[in-house]
Amino acid sequence: MELNAADEQTAVVSALSAGLLGSVNESLGAPMAPAWEAAFRGVPRHAFLPGTVWVGDELAECSREAAPAEWLGHAYADTAVVTQVNDGDDGDTVAPGERWASCSASAPSIVFRMLDLLDVRAGHRVLEIGTGTGWNAALLAHRLGPGRVTTIEVDPALAADAGGRLEDMGLDVRAVQGDGARGHEAGEPYERTIATCSVRTVPPAWIAQTRPGGVVLVPWDSPWFCYGLLRLTVDGYGGASGFFSPHSAFMLLRGQRTDLRIYRDVVRDSHVPEESTTRLSPWAVAGEDCAAQFAIGLQLPHVWRAWHENPDVEGVDSRLWLADTDAASWAAVDLDGRTADRFTVWEHGPRRLWETVEAAYGWWREAGSPGPERFGMTVAPDGTHVPWLDVPDSPVPVLL
């Protein structure tokens, strides 16, 4: 018997879904819990993606209408899928080189890793910051049941679309459009709060609206490096504390974005930088070593960096730029593509940023080059953030 188009679509989705489940379980290192597998099967990922997504380094458009097989393949790959560009401003017409991702559906493996870390139980109420497509809220609602999940999204268009998808799936989720940094007082206290956007400081409302003993789970970001999940336990006195884990890279909470450009905001023709040399390779602090970058980011919470490949400078193959987030000081470290033990440094402003980076890297090496999982953070009732190594009474030096 020949299958009709609908049956063929169902068979394709079933096969792709089974493949994705296997990929997620492999990434997690063990089969996901039965309740989460039931949610995975009950709320299919493709049902929560918009008709157009953007893929690849160039953020090329992929339309469900124009390329249904390709679109469905992206829906069931264990990768993040960009679902909005340029905050929704002319996303369908802006040139590829001018596109930047402003919303995405996270890779399913990190979605289920975070849900596992959240450790929800029957009867829990959950506040989700960053509705996005609505899939994460749908998974939580499938697990916890009606009226247990509140999700908040700052972008009106995203909020409306996600609310419609949740309603179409018959899921009883309170979907709110608003500033997620403020939480949602009407549903508090929550046993669990989860953010699907990264933060550089934890908004106090998230702690205040979570019950003592409850969990606040947030992706972490620093201007130096976006990486890490922070799992805080609320202490009942207005603060919270907990460890990081070495996963994730999420888009930053919109209210905490840093929009710096080297030549627009920092470097001026009138600046006369001081020249020096260093034996510390820029790749050691801003290359592929996630542990080093994470530790430097904790110590230098106000220092931003960017690579400039093939700058129009004679004898320079690549350049690492550094600037503090108030744009008062900057540094540049040059690689010539040949010398591996000495690099030229240029610095300008009241702070010597490269010297501070060298100090931060030196501290990390002397501490035994610890990974993110050995670090933690305490958020005090007054909002002060104190990073620590291994135990809360072993603070990490914050250098700027």
Side-chain angles (χ1 to χ4, degrees):
M1 182 179 67
E2 293 186 3
L3 297 176
N4 59 35
D7 289 336
E8 288 181 358
Q9 174 84 349
T10 299
V12 169
V13 169
S14 179
L16 290 172
S17 181
L20 176 57
L21 179 61
S23 296
V24 171
N25 286 339
E26 182 178 357
S27 179
L28 297 177
M32 66 176 68
W36 286 127
E37 182 174 339
F40 174 87
R41 297 182 184 280
V43 286
R45 190 182 190 222
H46 78 273
F48 287 85
L49 292 185
T52 297
V53 297
W54 290 265
V55 298
D57 293 339
E58 293 296 320
L59 295 180
E61 289 185 19
C62 178
S63 165
R64 175 173 49 196
E65 181 177 353
E70 182 184 355
W71 181 91
L72 203 57
H74 290 301
Y76 284 98
D78 189 18
T79 57
V81 179
V82 174
T83 55
Q84 185 196 66
V85 295
N86 299 59
D87 284 341
D89 295 335
D90 296 321
D92 294 332
T93 59
V94 67
E98 299 173 353
R99 291 173 182 162
W100 50 274
S102 54
C103 183
S104 68
S106 302
S109 56
I110 192 61
V111 168
F112 284 97
R113 189 179 298 278
M114 290 181 68
L115 291 174
D116 184 58
L117 284 171
L118 196 62
D119 189 29
V120 295
R121 311 288 178 86
H124 278 178
R125 285 166 295 179
V126 177
L127 172 64
E128 180 194 44
I129 312 299
T131 310
T133 67
W135 190 49
N136 200 69
L139 294 168
L140 283 163
H142 190 284
R143 171 78 183 263
L144 294 172
R148 292 291 171 179
V149 178
T150 298
T151 183
I152 184 165
E153 170 60 52
V154 68
D155 187 289
L158 294 177
D161 289 346
R165 296 183 192 112
L166 291 164
E167 186 175 346
D168 289 345
M169 293 293 295
L171 295 166
D172 182 7
V173 174
R174 177 183 289 176
V176 179
Q177 191 276 312
D179 183 0
R182 299 177 180 177
H184 190 66
E185 293 181 350
E188 67 169 290
Y190 304 97
E191 281 73 30
R192 298 288 187 267
T193 295
I194 181 173
T196 62
C197 52
S198 61
V199 298
R200 294 174 178 172
T201 58
V202 179
W206 299 358
I207 295 174
Q209 294 173 19
T210 303
R211 186 185 298 277
V215 170
V216 178
L217 181 65
V218 298
W220 189 252
D221 181 281
S222 72
W224 192 268
F225 190 47
C226 179
Y227 190 68
L229 291 172
L230 176 59
R231 188 182 192 273
L232 298 167
T233 300
V234 177
D235 61 20
Y237 301 97
S241 189
F243 277 95
F244 289 94
S245 63
H247 306 285
S248 91
F250 281 71
M251 294 179 189
L252 191 61
L253 183 74
R254 291 194 183 185
Q256 295 187 11
R257 288 177 179 173
T258 298
D259 183 22
L260 278 181
R261 298 291 185 272
I262 285 291
Y263 293 112
R264 186 193 69 191
D265 305 314
V266 181
V267 177
R268 297 288 179 264
D269 290 341
S270 60
H271 290 172
V272 181
E274 294 184 9
E275 181 181 357
S276 62
T277 60
T278 181
R279 291 187 178 277
L280 176 61
S281 168
W283 282 108
V285 298
E288 297 181 354
D289 192 332
C290 293
Q293 292 196 80
F294 179 81
I296 290 168
L298 284 182
Q299 295 175 79
L300 308 179
H302 305 296
V303 178
W304 170 83
R305 57 90 171 169
W307 281 102
H308 187 178
E309 300 295 341
N310 301 312
D312 188 17
V313 179
E314 185 178 353
V316 178
D317 280 4
S318 56
R319 171 174 284 175
L320 177 65
W321 286 100
L322 293 69
D324 50 18
T325 52
D326 64 8
S329 301
W330 60 264
V333 188
D334 290 344
L335 293 88
D336 62 12
R338 300 180 301 276
T339 308
D341 61 352
R342 190 174 294 273
F343 310 90
T344 302
V345 181
W346 309 91
E347 294 190 275
H348 181 270
R351 303 183 183 97
R352 289 295 174 259
L353 295 184
W354 183 250
E355 291 180 9
T356 310
V357 169
E358 289 181 317
Y361 182 76
W363 176 88
W364 174 72
R365 290 295 300 271
E366 290 178 4
S369 304
E373 69 281 355
R374 286 183 55 192
F375 289 94
M377 180 74 74
T378 295
V379 183
D382 65 359
T384 301
H385 286 56
V386 180
W388 39 266
L389 179 63
D390 294 327
V391 292
D393 59 2
S394 180
V396 169
V398 177
L399 304 179
L400 283 176

